Amino acid sequence: MTDISLPAINETRALGATTKLTDFRSIARMGYIAILVSFGGFGLWAATAPLDSAAVASATVAVTSDKKPIQHLEGGIVQ
């Protein structure tokens, strides 16, 4: 087997090669900030939005019949 060694990043930069490193920390940070701003903005709006009116009505609940036992058509346990 042959041992292949790649140059280190500092050596590559020292040689004058232009390499673009993919550092996802800044992208992840921007995503986290966008999520925080979105949820924070919604939470702020939900906390300060005025509720001018609501649907208020009076009602009564009437039961039409007594409790009835439930039984499976083919027998067994109803789950």
Side-chain angles (χ1 to χ4, degrees):
M1 293 183 60
T2 59
D3 184 25
I4 300 174
S5 62
L6 298 174
I9 293 173
N10 292 335
E11 293 174 357
T12 305
R13 288 183 184 164
L15 295 174
T18 57
T19 60
K20 183 176 181 181
L21 299 176
T22 55
D23 186 17
F24 294 108
R25 285 181 285 185
S26 63
I27 296 171
R29 186 177 302 123
M30 289 174 54
Y32 290 140
I33 289 171
I35 290 170
L36 287 174
V37 167
S38 298
F39 281 102
F42 176 75
L44 183 66
W45 171 80
T48 59
L51 296 177
D52 292 335
S53 64
V56 179
S58 61
T60 56
V61 178
V63 179
T64 57
S65 65
D66 292 331
K67 293 182 181 179
K68 296 180 181 179
I70 299 174
Q71 187 175 0
H72 194 274
L73 296 175
E74 299 171 1
I77 300 173
V78 177
Q79 293 181 351

